[in-house]
Amino acid sequence: MNKQDVLKLSSMPLQSPTYPTGPYKFFERQYMIIYYRTDAAKIRQMLPEPLQPDGDVVSVQWLDLPDGEGFGAYSAALQAIPCTFKGEKCNFLVQMYVDNCPPLAGGREIWGYPMKFGIAKLETASDTLTGELTYAKQHVATGTMVYKHGSPSDIGEVEAMLKRTQVTLKLIPDIDGSPAIAQLVGITFENIVVKGAWTGAARLDLVDSVNCPMADLPVLEQMGGLHLVTDMTLPYGRVLHDYLG
């Protein structure tokens, strides 16, 4: 295998790359987003500079991804903090848990998604949309939402929310352990099609966990939920801020 062959590889290992070259299309991507008010001081502690807080309402989100091009089928849960970067409204992803190797590896290596292995489940139980997250055999988060009770007044606002830039902190060490990459990365979904959107009452319960610390942003007030079914494309990201530059 020569240099050109090596550089054409999409990912490791060379015999069977973990994920192909993007962009990556997702179909029937389902979300349950639960919003809640939390401690503003703790938000400030979790935002890396130069990001600035944008209010004190954050979210925990469950995703069911049955058809991710190049990644397969998987489920995920994440915690997001609204923020601004040079005046642009963004969402900083604090932590994320997935149950499938290709999106976990690709998410960390390409975009810097803060992914660890965890078991997230999003399903409908009777009249309730239910999300559960298990990490290291501990049940650390439960979300529930009424099933398709109401619709958003403006689908345009939902689309704008999905187009809002996601920001990750990408940290990749060099061979000696020193930082090789230390960046804030911006990711903006494309080709978004909202196939269903519902709002309604929701509840979130977080349990303290040392290696899955969602409860470090405590629930002070429940703010409701958003249930979505979408198609969309995940393109490559862009560097917003280089800590080594």
Side-chain angles (χ1 to χ4, degrees):
M1 177 175 280
N2 59 34
K3 175 182 176 179
Q4 288 71 30
D5 293 330
V6 169
L7 294 178
K8 288 178 183 177
L9 292 171
S10 60
S11 57
M12 304 171 289
L14 64 89
Q15 298 90 346
S16 56
T18 303
Y19 49 85
T21 301
Y24 307 88
K25 297 179 181 178
F26 290 86
F27 304 95
E28 303 298 325
R29 180 180 172 118
Q30 183 174 204
Y31 291 81
M32 179 176 68
I33 305 172
I34 299 182
Y35 299 98
Y36 68 98
R37 194 176 306 281
T38 192
D39 187 316
K42 292 186 177 181
I43 288 177
R44 176 65 277 178
Q45 292 173 359
M46 291 189 183
L47 281 179
E49 61 178 13
L51 299 178
Q52 296 295 324
D54 185 20
D56 60 359
V57 175
V58 300
S59 67
V60 169
Q61 307 179 16
W62 276 267
L63 290 77
D64 177 57
L65 306 108
D67 187 357
E69 201 168 68
F71 293 135
Y74 62 104
S75 296
L78 65 89
Q79 190 171 45
I81 297 176
C83 61
T84 62
F85 175 76
K86 296 183 178 179
E88 178 189 357
K89 289 183 177 294
C90 307
N91 285 321
F92 178 66
L93 303 189
V94 187
Q95 48 193 312
M96 191 170 184
Y97 302 89
V98 299
D99 61 359
N100 186 0
C101 178
L104 194 160
R108 289 174 64 97
E109 292 170 8
I110 300 172
W111 301 276
Y113 278 118
M115 290 178 169
K116 297 171 73 173
F117 184 84
I119 305 299
K121 293 182 179 180
L122 178 61
E123 57 188 3
T124 304
S126 185
D127 61 350
T128 307
L129 189 64
T130 301
E132 296 182 346
L133 175 61
T134 301
Y135 186 87
K137 297 185 179 181
Q138 181 187 16
H139 193 73
V140 294
T142 300
T144 55
M145 179 179 172
V146 295
Y147 189 72
K148 297 185 178 181
H149 275 206
S151 299
S153 58
D154 187 349
I155 290 296
E157 291 183 0
V158 174
E159 293 176 347
M161 181 272 294
L162 292 170
K163 292 177 181 176
R164 185 166 172 161
T165 297
Q166 294 183 341
V167 180
T168 66
L169 177 60
K170 182 175 181 178
L171 299 172
I172 303 293
D174 210 333
I175 192 65
D176 63 357
S178 64
I181 297 174
Q183 302 168 336
L184 288 179
V185 176
I187 305 139
T188 306
F189 283 96
E190 299 174 346
N191 306 318
I192 296 171
V193 178
V194 178
K195 306 175 84 170
W198 302 269
T199 58
R203 296 290 183 272
L204 177 67
D205 181 51
L206 302 175
V207 177
D208 282 332
S209 174
V210 67
N211 281 322
C212 181
M214 284 189 172
D216 284 3
L217 288 177
V219 180
L220 302 184
E221 182 183 358
Q222 308 275 2
M223 302 296 291
L226 177 63
H227 176 199
L228 300 173
V229 179
T230 70
D231 294 343
M232 57 179 58
T233 300
L234 174 60
Y236 292 113
R238 62 193 186 277
V239 177
L240 302 179
H241 182 76
D242 189 347
Y243 292 98
L244 302 178

